[in-house]
Amino acid sequence: MDELFPLYSRLHVDSSRSVSELQVLRDSLERERSRRKVCEQQVASLQNKVLQVQQQFTLAVAADRKKDIMIEQLDKTLVKVVEGWRRHDQDRSDEIKLLQDEKQKAETTLHKQKEALSCVEETLNKEQKHNQELQDTNTKLVTNTLTPTHTAVLFRASHF
C-alpha cells in the first residue's frame, strides 16, 4: 500500500516519526534543563566558595600585614636593645678601665709611702741610736768629770 500511495504513506510515517522525534526532543530538552539547573546550582555553590575563599584571603592578608608591622616593630626594638647593651658594655668597660687606673695609682702611691715610711723609720732608728750614743757619751763625761759635790748639786737641781 505504501507503494500505491507513497505520498500519504510518507506523511503518515513522517507524522508518526514526528511524534516520536518530538518526544525525543522533549526528553532531550528536559534533560538539558535538568543539567542546566544542576550546573546553575554548582555555579552558585562555587560562587559561594569563591566568596568564602576571598574573605579568608582578605583576613589572611590583613593578618600578614599586622604580623609584618609587628616584625618591623620588633626589629626596631631589637636594634634599640642591642644599642643599649653595647652602650652598657662600653660604659662598663670604661668604668673598669677607670677603676684599674685608680687602683694602679693607689698601689703606686702606697708603694711610695711605704718606701718613705721605711726611710723615715731608718732615719728615726739612726737618730735614736745616735741619741743613745750621745746620752751614753754625756753620762760618761759627766761621771768622769764631776765630783761628788757636782753630782749632788745636779741631782738637787733635777728634782725641782
Side-chain angles (χ1 to χ4, degrees):
M1 209 172 330
D2 288 337
E3 292 173 5
L4 294 173
F5 303 105
L7 182 61
Y8 178 76
S9 70
R10 241 176 59 209
L11 283 176
H12 180 69
V13 170
D14 281 346
S15 151
S16 69
R17 204 191 263 172
S18 285
V19 170
S20 76
E21 282 181 12
L22 187 62
Q23 187 61 40
V24 168
L25 288 175
R26 282 183 187 154
D27 290 344
S28 179
L29 179 63
E30 191 59 37
R31 280 193 307 267
E32 284 301 313
R33 284 181 180 162
S34 179
R35 273 191 235 148
R36 182 175 181 154
K37 186 176 181 180
V38 169
C39 286
E40 287 174 352
Q41 289 172 348
Q42 288 177 346
V43 166
S45 174
L46 290 173
Q47 285 176 339
N48 284 336
K49 287 182 182 179
V50 166
L51 181 62
Q52 289 174 353
V53 169
Q54 284 176 338
Q55 289 172 346
Q56 290 173 351
F57 179 74
T58 301
L59 291 174
V61 167
D64 280 350
R65 285 181 186 154
K66 286 181 183 178
K67 289 177 184 177
D68 288 343
I69 290 169
M70 289 174 64
I71 288 170
E72 287 178 25
Q73 289 174 346
L74 288 173
D75 285 344
K76 290 176 184 177
T77 303
L78 180 62
V79 167
K80 288 179 182 178
V81 168
V82 169
E83 287 175 3
W85 283 344
R86 286 184 182 150
R87 269 188 307 234
H88 176 72
D89 285 346
Q90 184 62 43
D91 291 347
R92 191 172 132 243
S93 295
D94 293 345
E95 287 294 323
I96 288 173
K97 186 173 180 349
L98 181 65
L99 290 173
Q100 287 173 339
D101 290 347
E102 288 179 11
K103 178 184 174 189
Q104 184 63 36
K105 288 177 185 177
E107 287 175 349
T108 301
T109 302
L110 179 64
H111 181 69
K112 287 179 181 178
Q113 288 177 348
K114 282 183 179 181
E115 286 179 355
L117 180 62
S118 178
C119 288
V120 168
E121 286 175 345
E122 186 178 322
T123 303
L124 179 62
N125 286 338
K126 286 180 184 178
E127 289 297 322
Q128 285 176 343
K129 187 175 180 183
H130 183 67
N131 192 20
Q132 187 62 42
E133 288 174 358
L134 286 176
Q135 285 179 356
D136 289 345
T137 304
N138 278 342
T139 305
K140 285 180 187 177
L141 285 173
V142 168
T143 53
N144 287 337
T145 57
L146 290 178
T147 60
T149 314
H150 285 75
T151 305
V153 172
L154 283 173
F155 180 71
R156 281 189 231 141
S158 67
H159 285 329
F160 285 111

